[in-house]
Structures are given as C-alpha cells and as structure tokens.
Amino acid sequence: MDSLEKIERLHNRISMLQVVTELEVECKTSSFGIPKQTVIYDAKTVTANYLENEGLKFPVIAKPLVADGSLKSHKMLLVFNKDGLRKLKPPIVLQEFVNHGGVIFKVYVVGDYVKCVKRKSLPDVNEDNLGRLESYLSFSQVSNLNTCEKKDDKYYKLMNLENSELPPLGLLGDIARGLRRATKLHLFNFDVIRDNRVGNRYLVIDINYFPGYAKMPNYERVLTDFFWDVLNRNDMGFKSLKEVRVLVGNNGCGEDEGTLPLSPLKMEENEKPIRV
Ligand SMILES: Nc1ncnc2c1ncn2[C@@H]1O[C@H](COP(=O)(O)OP(=O)(O)OP(=O)(O)O)[C@@H](O)[C@H]1O
Ligand SMILES: [Mg+2]
C-alpha cells in the first residue's frame, strides 16, 4: 500500500522522530515534542561528559539505531550511571528517560481513522535512588509483555490504568494528521508519553509502520472499511473518505468507549490516490 522508500524513514530512530520535530501543530493547552536524544556510532565516544554536553543526564535509554522490527532492534538498556555506559553497543540512540507515570499511549492510525489505547509502561525512576541502583537494566518489548506477566508483577499490580487521564484528543488527532501528511504513510502507530515534570507536555517516543493492529479494538471493521475505501477510491475519490473519528478506549476492550468525533481530516488537495 505504502511505498517502501517512505516506510524506510521509520526504520531509523533518528529520522523517525525527526519528522515529529518538523510538525506544525497548534495547541493552546498542551505542547508536544520528542525526548532529548543523541546518536552514538563509536562506543569510545560515550562518556559522562559527552552526555552532559549533549544536554542528557542519567537515567538514559539506549535504543538500537535500527528499528526494523527485528528482535535485536527491540533490545534496550536503561542506563542509571556512568558504569552502565560501558555496556552500550553502537550504533545506538541515547535518549533521556522521561518519568511518565508508567503509562504509555499507543495511537493507531488507519488512514483517516485514529485510535488511542492506554498501556502499561516502564515505571518512573526516582533520581534520589540512582546511586543505589544497578548501573543498567536491560529490557525488551515492554508493551508486549503479556497480561499474565503483568498480573504477577508487584509494580503492575499497583498500576491503575483506568485512572490515568488521556492526552487531549484534538492534539493526538492533529499529530496523527501531521505525521500522515509528512510521511505520506497510511498505516502506522506512534507511542506517546506524558512528561511528568511538566504535566501537559507530550512526547512521541516511537513510530511503527503497520503495527500489530490486533491490539486495536474493532480492528477487523476498521481495516476492512479502510481497504474497502481504498479499493473504491476511483469511484469515490480519497476526498470523500468518511470523516475521521478518534475512538478512545482505556484498556483496548470497550469498542465504543470514549468515542469522540474530531474535525475531519481532509486529504491534501494535491494528494494523489494510492494505486493498488
Ligand atoms: N524516552 C523515554 N522515556 C521513558 N520511557 C521510555 C522512553 N523511551 C522508551 N521508553 C519505554 O520503553 C519502551 C520501549 O521503547 P520504544 O517504544 O522506543 O521501543 P520499541 O522496541 O520500538 O518498543 P515497542 O515495540 O514495545 O513499542 C516504551 O514502551 C516505554 O515504556
Ligand atoms: Mg514502542
């Protein structure tokens, strides 16, 4: 559906988030951006001083530069102090770890359709404890931990997803529309966290092409409608696609929970229909 060349941009964690920094979205009550980050190609260059010069302080997350969906590309390190820096295997992206209350918002985009689902994430790190912690913690695919793993874990037992407030839906819709226009992609999702230091600042930390839509409530209907529209676009034209609806569920179970119509996403006048 989408061109490989355009998808390629999402396979590198720097170019992937670069697009977010270029978006022009106005929101009076909140702001958005990406975490501070730097790319490391040579392990020798990573020192505590280097981090400081880059405006980064511990804890930091080390993510493989390549984000191609392979097992390796999901292997991450949460680095608490300078000893942990020795474990890094470039090429990597070092990103500030932003406390976000242990909740991540996964925003699924299917053409004009946008849906936000809450998921449990890494817990906050108390800076006062940095000295007492191990130098690093390795992890992989936090958002894919299965429900049983989460149920057994003391931290996850304490979490109460239901009480966590969603980001402003207008903002998510605007970011989704901006990303769609900038990337010219139709099928992707992005991960958003709320910066606890600020409260109403949202950070996009990850964008994935053709994510596991099975985790999106009502995905069969949404995807079928989308492909139906694409197939019929010669008769209908993309402009006549249905109005965007941002559906928001708190745990991905309630299909119509929190349904909220936003202003329609209009295709750019000059955007050519996709050829299938
Ligand atoms: N800058 C950050 N600050 C705080 N937590 C973060 C940050 N970046 C990532 N995380 C945590 O690490 C997890 C994995 O990060 P990310 O989404 O970038 O990697 P991924 O391998 O593409 O993961 P997934 O496939 O699970 O989405 C996130 O779900 C979140 O819990
Ligand atoms: Mg992610």
Side-chain angles (χ1 to χ4, degrees):
M1 277 231 30
D2 291 318
S3 88
L4 288 175
E5 189 197 326
K6 292 184 174 95
I7 295 168
E8 197 54 40
R9 184 178 200 167
L10 302 186
H11 288 167
N12 172 303
R13 292 191 196 268
I14 294 292
S15 56
M16 168 210 284
L17 293 188
Q18 176 70 29
V19 63
V20 178
T21 63
E22 290 162 6
L23 295 184
E24 283 174 24
V25 169
E26 257 186 52
C27 180
K28 290 201 176 77
T29 53
S30 317
S31 65
F32 76 97
I34 60 169
K36 271 187 208 147
Q37 59 176 15
T38 184
V39 60
I40 310 278
Y41 293 101
D42 178 0
K44 277 183 249 142
T45 59
V46 213
T47 60
N49 272 347
Y50 174 82
L51 252 66
E52 207 178 313
N53 291 338
E54 292 291 307
L56 291 168
K57 54 187 185 119
F58 295 110
V60 287
I61 288 202
K63 308 182 179 186
L65 178 60
V66 174
D68 57 4
S70 62
L71 276 180
K72 207 173 145 199
S73 71
H74 288 297
K75 288 205 163 153
M76 316 216 161
L77 282 191
L78 183 51
V79 182
F80 299 112
N81 56 44
K82 64 178 173 27
D83 292 337
L85 295 177
R86 281 188 250 146
K87 293 283 164 196
L88 302 181
K89 294 204 177 75
I92 48 151
V93 171
L94 271 188
Q95 200 174 76
E96 64 174 333
F97 178 85
V98 179
N99 280 342
H100 54 282
V103 179
I104 192 162
F105 306 100
K106 296 209 154 259
V107 185
Y108 293 89
V109 179
V110 181
D112 286 349
Y113 184 95
V114 184
K115 181 164 179 84
C116 175
V117 172
K118 291 184 213 174
R119 286 272 178 270
K120 290 175 183 182
S121 179
L122 289 180
D124 288 348
V125 175
N126 182 344
E127 277 183 38
D128 300 337
N129 290 340
L130 283 182
R132 275 176 263 155
L133 295 165
E134 296 285 313
S135 54
Y136 70 93
L137 171 86
S138 63
F139 66 95
S140 183
Q141 295 197 278
V142 181
S143 55
N144 273 355
L145 285 182
N146 67 41
T147 321
C148 297
E149 279 170 286
K150 283 179 178 167
K151 260 190 202 139
D152 292 343
D153 185 291
K154 271 193 224 127
Y155 162 72
Y156 286 113
K157 270 188 193 151
L158 290 173
M159 290 271 314
N160 194 346
L161 264 194
E162 283 71 33
N163 293 343
S164 125
E165 203 184 311
L166 289 162
L169 304 182
L171 178 67
L172 294 184
D174 285 349
I175 297 175
R177 170 171 40 199
L179 286 177
R180 228 192 70 187
R181 283 194 174 148
T183 59
K184 303 267 190 291
L185 297 174
H186 297 82
L187 298 164
F188 60 92
N189 78 350
F190 56 99
D191 294 343
V192 176
I193 55 175
R194 183 187 290 117
D195 186 341
N196 264 4
R197 299 165 299 189
V198 190
N200 58 352
R201 181 161 173 78
Y202 295 90
L203 302 172
V204 177
I205 57 166
D206 188 26
I207 309 175
N208 300 291
Y209 188 68
F210 205 74
Y213 280 112
K215 290 185 199 140
M216 181 181 84
N218 207 17
Y219 73 94
E220 301 94 332
R221 174 76 192 268
V222 174
L223 286 170
T224 312
D225 279 358
F226 172 71
F227 289 123
W228 178 259
D229 285 340
V230 170
L231 286 170
N232 289 282
R233 75 187 179 282
N234 286 342
D235 307 317
M236 301 163 60
F238 246 137
K239 268 183 232 159
S240 61
L241 274 176
K242 294 177 186 78
E243 286 191 349
V244 65
R245 287 197 310 149
V246 174
L247 301 178
V248 178
N250 58 4
N251 55 9
C253 295
E255 283 185 4
D256 292 329
E257 211 169 343
T259 301
L260 200 118
L262 288 187
S263 59
L265 269 185
K266 297 224 166 50
M267 295 297 287
E268 281 171 342
E269 292 300 314
N270 59 0
E271 186 164 345
K272 291 191 186 76
I274 306 159
R275 308 254 174 249
V276 285

